[in-house]
Amino acid sequence: QVQLVESGGGLVQPGGSLRLSCTPSAIFFSIFDVGWYRQVPGKERELVASITSDSATNYADFVKGRFIISRDNAKNSVDLQMNSLKPEDTAVYYCNARRQVARTPYDYWGQGTQVTVST
């Protein structure tokens, strides 16, 4: 059974940094497109950043210039470096891995990690 485990969340002051990491079990991340999403209560989950299996990256406008998504294939992980954090970045952050093989979609989610930006 595939599991994605997120780590690195916590409490940080505005302007600070956190690094989230997503590590899977039972799959090789290098062949999956991986995304970081976030969700606050009462709102829909939204894409923060994504990286394809070819390492092409995409960022939501609200994190461009502040967050960096990267792969570490040796560690089989995808990280999200979050800098210049703002209170509005407070959310539960989720890791997602997806891949399409012929007509079969593979779509996995982690349990989420809380990020709180506050004084």
Side-chain angles (χ1 to χ4, degrees):
Q1 182 176 356
V2 176
Q3 290 184 320
L4 304 186
V5 178
E6 301 103 335
S7 61
L11 173 64
V12 64
Q13 292 187 344
S17 298
L18 282 175
R19 188 176 184 88
L20 305 183
S21 185
C22 179
T23 303
S25 64
I27 60 172
F28 292 106
F29 247 4
S30 61
I31 62 174
F32 281 76
D33 296 338
V34 179
W36 282 98
Y37 292 74
R38 70 186 188 187
Q39 188 171 24
V40 297
K43 291 191 176 182
E44 292 187 355
R45 194 171 295 186
E46 60 184 359
L47 177 67
V48 175
S50 63
I51 186 165
T52 69
S53 57
D54 294 331
S55 295
T57 58
N58 178 58
Y59 297 92
D61 286 343
F62 52 78
V63 302
K64 282 182 180 177
R66 299 189 298 126
F67 291 11
I68 300 172
I69 189 169
S70 61
R71 288 185 177 276
D72 189 332
N73 289 336
K75 295 181 180 179
N76 199 31
S77 68
V78 170
D79 294 346
L80 183 69
Q81 177 67 41
M82 304 187 296
N83 302 317
S84 303
L85 283 161
K86 306 175 181 180
E88 51 264 42
D89 294 318
T90 295
V92 178
Y93 284 71
Y94 297 90
C95 178
N96 170 255
R98 61 185 59 179
R99 183 172 182 240
Q100 183 90 16
V101 180
R103 295 182 181 180
T104 304
Y106 296 89
D107 193 356
Y108 307 108
W109 288 91
Q111 294 296 312
T113 185
Q114 176 70 46
V115 171
T116 302
V117 185
S118 175
T119 56

